[in-house]
Amino acid sequence: RKEVEQDPGPFNVPEGATVAFNCTYSNSASQSFFWYRQDCRKEPKLLMSVYSSGNEDGRFTAQLNRASQYISLLIRDSKLSDSATYLCVVNYEGGGNKLTFGTGTQLKVEL
Amino acid sequence: DADVTQTPRNRITKTGKRIMLECSQTKGHDRMYWYRQDPGLGLRLIYYSFDVKDINKGEISDGYSVSRQAQAKFSLSLESAIPNQTALYFCATSPSGTDTQYFGPGTRLTVL
């Protein structure tokens, strides 16, 4: 079983739609959680951290469910510019500053 | 200017050649990392360094070596390149005490 699992997609959605991605992680000792965004052939960039209480940044909402060991990302009012691959990232307790990356979920927003 | 730079950006080489990929940062971060990315496998950690005198193996260090020449520089070497080392390589940095990592633009390496 992969340590961090994501549906690879692609998710094809029309502009303006709401789309949600889930990610599951296997290590219950996981401590920190993130969503990174990666455009084609470019470097990953931090989209947002994920906090236990859930957090929102504009059109993006992240949720963490420790009991079920999953993380979600909700994008409202999708824009063409949201088209990218979204990486779920986990830092394990005692792992120092080492992150474990999911393989990513591809989003395509269409006109 | 970019905070994390990688050179070269693209490299094609032959099996058995020695290759060095370089990473420089102006962010003043103590921690630096090397990853490779392959389709369907995500990013995998090769080596990391928490300080100039600190070097640690990641999950896929075989066939690679690193050198932390200064706080701002972290280079990755392939002593004898092989075709399955064809991948996209990323350098990343992080300040001590946080989990956030900042990535360089990547080096696309092809080993023929």
Side-chain angles (χ1 to χ4, degrees), chain B residues 54-94:
Chain B
D54 177 73
I55 299 291
N56 304 282
K57 291 182 177 181
E59 63 178 296
I60 54 162
S61 59
D62 287 348
Y64 302 94
S65 62
V66 291
S67 174
R68 184 82 184 266
Q69 302 95 322
Q71 187 201 39
K73 295 184 182 296
F74 192 35
S75 58
L76 176 72
S77 294
L78 287 68
E79 296 301 325
S80 180
I82 55 176
N84 77 0
Q85 291 177 313
T86 293
L88 185 55
Y89 289 83
F90 288 106
C91 173
T93 73
S94 178

Side-chain angles (χ1 to χ4, degrees), chain A residues 64-85:
Chain A
L64 168 63
N65 185 318
R66 285 188 183 272
S68 300
Q69 294 182 204
Y70 80 78
I71 307 151
S72 64
L73 177 67
L74 181 77
I75 305 175
R76 292 181 299 278
D77 189 22
S78 299
K79 310 292 184 189
L80 295 175
S81 58
D82 293 333
S83 297
T85 296

Side-chain angles (χ1 to χ4, degrees), chain A residues 2-3 31-34 36 38 41-46 49 87 91 95-103, chain B residues 31 33 35 37 40-43 45 48 50 88 90 94-96 98-106 108:
Chain A
K2 292 181 181 177
E3 293 180 65
Q31 188 175 36
S32 307
F33 309 89
F34 310 90
Y36 276 70
Q38 186 174 24
R41 297 176 180 265
K42 297 203 172 173
E43 72 272 26
K45 293 183 179 179
L46 178 67
S49 301
L87 308 177
N91 184 10
N97 223 195
K98 294 181 291 176
L99 303 179
T100 299
F101 289 77
T103 54
Chain B
R31 303 182 175 194
Y33 308 79
Y35 293 90
Q37 186 173 36
L41 293 178
L43 281 93
L45 183 63
Y48 61 103
F50 284 176
L88 185 55
F90 288 106
S94 178
S96 299
T98 78
D99 297 326
T100 304
Q101 294 187 12
Y102 301 86
F103 286 80
R108 186 165 296 279

Side-chain angles (χ1 to χ4, degrees), chain A residues 1-5 23-28 68-70:
Chain A
R1 182 185 174 187
K2 292 181 181 177
E3 293 180 65
V4 179
E5 291 204 61
C23 160
T24 58
Y25 59 94
S26 60
N27 191 330
S28 59
S68 300
Q69 294 182 204
Y70 80 78

